[in-house]
Amino acid sequence: MLITDKKLKELNEMAAQLRCDVIEMLLEAKSGHSAGPLGMADVFTALYFSGILNVDPKNPNWEDRDRVILSNGHICPIHYAALARAGFFPVEELKTLRKFGSRLQGHPHAGILPGIDNSSGPLSQGSSIAVGLAYAAKMDHKKWQVYCIAGDGEQQEGQTWEAAMFAGKHKLDNLTFLMDRNNIQIDGFTEDVMPLEPLKEKYEAFGWHVLEIDGHNIPAIIDAIEHAKSIYEEPVMIICHTIPGKGVNFMEWKPEWHGKAPNQEEALKALKELRTLQGRISSEAE
Amino acid sequence: MINKNLKLNPKIFDPDVEQKPTRDGYGEGLVLAGQKDSRVVALCADISDSTRSAMFQKAFPDRFVETGIAEQNMMGLAAGMAMAGKIPFVSTYAVFCPGRNWDQLRVSVCYSNANVKITGAHAGVSVGPDGATHQGLEDIAITRCIPNLVVIAPCDAIETKKATLAAAEYVGPVYLRFAREKTPIMTTEDTPFEIGKALVFREGKDVAIIGCGPLLHNALLAAEELAKEGIEAMVINNHTIKPMDKKTIIEAAKKCGAIVTVEDHQVMSGMGSAIAEVLAENYPVPIEFIGMKDKFGESGDPNELIEAFGMGKNAIKEAVKKVIQRKK
């Protein structure tokens, strides 16, 4: 897909906006995960705002829509922000994250919020759901695509590999995974906690087509998704190398920000940094 | 006296009463459900002959999914397929499903209210020689505590067929439990079946024996013998453990004033516990529980094990006499 400079500027601005939304949501909620959602802002921007995804915010349950399954449910603030900004529900509702009576549960609950198709939280469950959707779509000769956002930490779950084996066997080329390879999990760096590498070779051994990209390069993300659509008779894994906490300097690369929300002071600092990047006046953040 | 309105098997007390495994009823019901609705699909984790889902595979090869020995993925696949409009039935042994994939059942299926039907074969100590690892004795406990999930333990092959069809028509997650061995046919094609509606198999006034699954036959045999001793026992087939038919259970407690529960499952948190919860809140009466008493099973002949673990006809009779004595 050819992206004009103007469009790219818009997309980068949207990614910054989603990051600001995430910080504001977490501040309001006083709990939640910071690093993953910030790190995946560019991937969600590419998915929901480049036109690559076949969904309709006004008709979220449209039968022939592409499916987006979030497997690492704890990064839901970025999914919620993207859905709200894309028009699935009012942006004001983002501030209800994790509050009693909210449709924005701490981990996603299917069926209550437009655009959220699966409940998730216990890791790797989304991988099987995505594979099941893709398999059912093949049975019925449906044209829609299944996208699954997965974490790297959840590659430690056995269910991940059960699902990978099944998808490989059935050559589910309507299935694309986008793995957030940010190298951190709650207890530290993935390669210290439980080494995952070589991920590319592992998936290839399971019969997948694997792409590796910079998960902050929006044109590269779009290209990879386009490429994935062209792959025949293989499920596709796009390993998105990301920086946990991307965009907020003091959060970047810090495992301690995996499962923590910023306080007032930290949030202001983060927002200032994010809004400066967007080219706005720095005092706006204060 | 046997409830004539239910059109039960007239040969129910014959020594040569027809016997058939409940899992056969599942296979037959699944094929019928598949014929009625093209959305029905079946998933099995490498034991399709054992679970009888092979019957569906033969009838509808394109709608059968072999998942390999991967029960967690099987549950998740079913959730995904349900989200795409299918009506998936997942089958394997109860110790693995819901035993091994309980988290997937809880979140991918029940929390999402996905239209998945979960079946656990080889439930109970009556699995026999395979031993404790393969005797599903906890499945009712771990399914009835999950919101949105219907839990059914049919009493014979005919009722299992009806329960399978009813599960296919019901919108939402349903758990069905089957036994391995041949067990007596108690009902007929004309016996009613409705999810959540218990059946009074035998009328009585002195005690109500409330059971589920094939052990109900032992309850009926016990009741017939007790009648000769002047004790009239009501026998209730409480096939749906959740949602419970509270009305029938409370009425039985009011009429009889004492209850014996019967199940091939751990007494702790099983069907009997569910009955106790209903009665404790609504109409407390003395209860005796027949089932596994916080033990693992072991290898043996099914009937031998049922006797050894205190779930046979004589154990039920003793429990009846004990509970009647507890009536004030």
Side-chain angles (χ1 to χ4, degrees):
Chain A
M1 190 185 286
L2 203 62
I3 304 277
T4 61
D5 287 351
K6 183 168 168 284
K7 180 70 179 172
L8 182 58
K9 185 167 174 286
E10 281 171 20
L11 290 172
N12 280 323
E13 282 173 7
M14 178 55 74
Q17 178 62 57
L18 297 184
R19 288 188 166 97
C20 291
D21 288 338
V22 164
I23 295 294
E24 287 174 356
M25 290 161 76
L26 291 173
L27 175 64
E28 188 72 26
K30 298 187 179 67
S31 71
H33 298 72
S34 299
L38 291 172
M40 285 297 276
D42 302 302
V43 169
F44 275 91
T45 299
L47 265 180
Y48 281 95
F49 299 94
S50 72
I52 206 161
L53 197 62
N54 203 18
V55 292
D56 178 2
K58 300 293 165 239
N59 188 7
N61 297 323
W62 169 41
E63 227 177 84
D64 290 324
R65 70 189 182 281
D66 288 344
R67 293 341 192 244
V68 178
I69 296 301
L70 181 65
S71 190
N72 49 343
H74 60 272
I75 72 159
C76 61
I78 187 64
H79 199 182
Y80 293 158
L83 288 170
R85 293 285 169 191
F88 281 84
F89 57 87
V91 170
E92 303 78 65
E93 210 173 328
L94 290 176
K95 292 284 177 68
T96 68
L97 173 71
R98 288 178 168 247
K99 294 204 188 308
F100 183 70
S102 172
R103 298 195 290 178
L104 280 66
Q105 289 291 294
H107 292 81
H109 183 187
I112 60 168
L113 187 66
I116 292 291
D117 279 337
N118 68 306
S119 299
S120 68
L123 292 171
S124 182
Q125 292 201 20
S127 46
S128 298
I129 291 172
V131 174
L133 272 164
Y135 186 81
K138 285 271 180 194
M139 276 177 99
D140 292 345
H141 309 289
K142 298 283 188 189
K143 298 285 176 222
W144 42 269
Q145 299 285 314
V146 182
Y147 296 98
C148 182
I149 314 291
D152 52 0
E154 67 180 319
Q155 305 301 312
Q156 291 160 0
E157 292 277 12
Q159 186 180 358
T160 296
W161 303 100
E162 294 182 3
M165 207 181 292
F166 186 96
K169 175 189 173 186
H170 292 285
K171 308 182 192 308
L172 300 178
D173 53 17
N174 54 348
L175 178 68
T176 301
F177 272 54
L178 293 137
M179 188 202 297
D180 179 15
R181 183 63 173 126
N182 69 5
N183 292 280
I184 64 160
Q185 57 189 110
I186 296 183
D187 270 359
F189 291 101
T190 57
E191 301 312 288
D192 294 331
V193 175
M194 187 54 64
L196 300 171
E197 294 298 339
L199 277 168
K200 183 169 187 281
E201 287 79 358
K202 282 178 184 167
Y203 271 94
E204 282 171 348
F206 278 73
W208 290 52
H209 188 90
V210 183
L211 304 169
E212 287 199 80
I213 58 166
D214 170 357
H216 301 303
N217 181 337
I218 290 177
I221 300 165
I222 296 168
D223 280 350
I225 295 171
E226 284 288 358
H227 184 170
K229 284 187 193 173
S230 72
I231 299 295
Y232 181 60
E233 290 202 336
E234 277 177 318
V236 178
M237 170 61 74
I238 304 174
I239 298 176
C240 306
H241 291 279
T242 63
I243 296 169
K246 169 76 176 173
V248 177
N249 205 29
F250 63 91
M251 291 183 179
E252 288 184 1
W253 290 115
K254 302 266 188 345
E256 59 266 35
W257 280 101
H258 173 98
K260 196 169 83 161
N263 63 26
Q264 181 83 22
E265 195 189 335
E266 291 160 339
L268 281 176
K269 202 174 156 194
L271 287 172
K272 190 171 171 179
E273 201 181 319
L274 287 165
R275 286 176 178 159
T276 303
L277 282 177
Q278 209 179 323
R280 293 191 191 173
I281 300 162
S282 62
S283 63
E284 195 184 317
E286 280 149 18
Chain B
M1 180 196 285
I2 286 292
N3 183 353
K4 297 246 170 10
N5 296 332
L6 296 182
K7 301 191 168 58
L8 297 176
N9 183 1
K11 293 183 170 177
I12 199 164
F13 296 119
D14 287 7
D16 63 342
V17 59
E18 190 199 344
Q19 303 219 6
K20 198 171 171 180
T22 54
R23 56 184 169 142
D24 284 15
Y26 171 58
E28 290 164 19
L30 193 55
V31 171
L32 288 174
Q35 284 165 355
K36 284 175 90 165
D37 193 328
S38 62
R39 295 173 299 168
V40 171
V41 296
L43 296 83
C44 193
D46 199 41
I47 47 171
S48 50
D49 262 340
S50 275
T51 59
R52 299 294 191 257
S53 50
M55 292 164 74
F56 184 91
Q57 180 182 18
K58 200 173 165 204
F60 307 103
D62 297 341
R63 284 152 60 189
F64 176 81
V65 187
E66 173 58 75
T67 69
I69 310 162
E71 294 82 8
Q72 302 175 67
N73 186 45
M74 176 169 70
M75 190 70 85
L77 288 176
M81 293 180 81
M83 284 161 59
K86 302 292 178 194
I87 304 175
F89 279 74
V90 300
S91 324
T92 181
Y93 298 150
V95 286
F96 308 136
C97 171
R100 194 164 178 147
N101 53 18
W102 186 82
D103 183 22
Q104 288 75 12
L105 169 63
R106 175 176 176 265
V107 176
S108 291
V109 174
C110 294
Y111 187 41
S112 307
N113 219 353
N115 194 19
V116 176
K117 318 303 165 184
I118 303 96
T119 71
H122 290 36
V125 73
S126 58
V127 167
D130 277 346
T133 56
H134 283 55
Q135 295 163 349
L137 289 164
E138 305 81 11
D139 54 313
I140 294 175
I142 63 173
T143 51
R144 78 179 185 91
C145 60
I146 307 181
N148 295 342
L149 183 58
V150 170
V151 180
I152 303 173
C155 73
D156 66 16
I158 294 175
E159 187 170 80
T160 306
K161 184 171 71 180
K162 292 176 197 160
T164 305
L165 282 164
E169 281 168 20
Y170 176 89
V171 181
V174 178
Y175 173 63
L176 294 163
R177 159 182 233 251
F178 316 129
R180 178 181 192 277
E181 297 295 318
K182 286 181 181 175
T183 54
I185 298 291
M186 293 174 265
T187 64
T188 62
E189 295 291 345
D190 298 326
T191 307
F193 179 86
E194 193 184 323
I195 292 175
K197 186 82 195 81
L199 299 170
V200 178
F201 271 10
R202 189 183 194 280
E203 300 287 359
K205 60 176 179 21
D206 300 320
V207 63
I209 307 172
I210 305 173
C212 63
L215 278 191
L216 267 167
H217 195 250
N218 283 351
L220 287 168
L221 292 176
E224 286 299 299
E225 291 187 11
L226 286 164
K228 289 175 191 149
E229 301 176 35
I231 297 171
E232 283 301 331
M234 180 187 284
V235 177
I236 297 176
N237 172 11
N238 187 47
H239 51 69
T240 307
I241 292 130
K242 186 183 165 188
M244 179 79 80
D245 182 353
K246 292 182 184 178
K247 186 166 169 278
T248 300
I249 302 304
I250 294 165
E251 277 171 8
K254 284 181 179 169
K255 186 175 178 189
C256 303
I259 305 282
V260 172
T261 64
V262 178
E263 62 195 308
D264 190 357
H265 182 275
Q266 295 290 353
V267 160
M268 219 175 271
S269 307
M271 181 214 64
S273 299
I275 300 281
E277 287 162 15
V278 170
L279 293 180
E281 274 193 335
N282 294 281
Y283 195 84
V285 295
I287 306 177
E288 290 289 325
F289 302 93
I290 294 285
M292 284 297 275
K293 302 246 163 73
D294 201 16
K295 283 180 186 158
F296 283 108
E298 62 177 89
S299 292
D301 167 75
N303 289 325
E304 183 177 41
L305 292 171
I306 289 292
E307 289 300 324
F309 289 104
M311 292 184 264
K313 180 185 69 182
N314 291 332
I316 296 171
K317 283 167 69 182
E318 280 168 36
V320 163
K321 287 173 186 169
K322 193 171 166 196
V323 83
I324 287 174
Q325 281 195 344
R326 287 172 58 201
K327 286 207 262 186
K328 292 277 156 46

